[in-house]
Amino acid sequence: MANFDLHSDEVVLYEGAVTSKNYKGALLLTLTSQKLILEREKGIFKKERELVEIIALDSVKIFNDVAQIKHKGDMVEIQTITANITLTLSGMLEARKFAGTMVDAITGTTLAQRSSEKIKGALGVVDDTPG
């Protein structure tokens, strides 16, 4: 049973098991359209979830219109206003999937839309060049 409530306009985008340098033990991660939730299972026979931390997605740092979420191998580093959080996922593909979903949620765009805007910007610079 989850220890958090979702708003009426909030949806779950990703769920998975992670470990972290910042927190001890295995964690359950839930990414919604507005926040990142970290929980821990406790209890031997009767499993209960203990809320570890809720991180609002609007607290993730953005530099030059790029959300500061980096993934390398099976690790994802998230820079927030209060701390840097490093999460280790089950594999490299899972880390890429999670990081991409989180960037999509923060920016409100998809990878295709962001790529299209970069290309349009580059073509605009070429068009503006004299001669």
Side-chain angles (χ1 to χ4, degrees):
M1 172 113 182
N3 291 322
F4 57 91
D5 293 324
L6 296 178
H7 296 108
S8 61
D9 61 340
E10 190 173 12
V11 294
V12 174
L13 303 172
Y14 181 89
E15 288 183 314
V18 298
T19 58
S20 176
K21 295 178 181 179
N22 305 75
Y23 309 101
K24 291 184 178 180
L27 300 170
L28 300 169
L29 174 132
T30 304
L31 174 64
T32 70
S33 56
Q34 297 177 2
K35 58 191 163 206
L36 178 70
I37 302 153
L38 297 171
E39 297 177 295
R40 176 180 297 124
E41 273 193 353
K42 65 181 209 174
I44 296 172
F45 299 110
K46 185 178 178 186
K47 299 287 185 184
E48 292 183 6
R49 289 186 179 187
E50 171 188 25
L51 186 63
V52 175
E53 187 166 4
I54 295 178
I55 302 162
L57 293 185
D58 58 1
S59 71
V60 174
K61 291 182 181 179
I62 296 178
F63 179 72
N64 285 342
D65 296 327
V66 177
Q68 296 304 299
I69 299 169
K70 309 286 185 228
H71 74 88
K72 185 174 185 179
D74 62 349
M75 298 177 75
V76 175
E77 182 180 353
I78 304 165
Q79 293 182 23
T80 66
I81 295 170
T82 57
N84 292 343
I85 300 165
T86 304
L87 302 172
T88 304
L89 285 88
S90 61
M92 183 173 44
L93 294 175
E94 243 353 84
R96 181 180 297 155
K97 178 180 164 184
F98 167 71
T101 304
M102 190 161 180
V103 170
D104 291 350
I106 290 170
T107 61
T109 60
T110 63
L111 178 62
Q113 291 170 330
R114 290 190 301 274
S115 298
S116 174
E117 290 300 319
K118 281 185 182 180
I119 292 170
K120 286 178 186 176
L123 292 176
V125 169
V126 170
D127 288 342
D128 292 341
T129 305

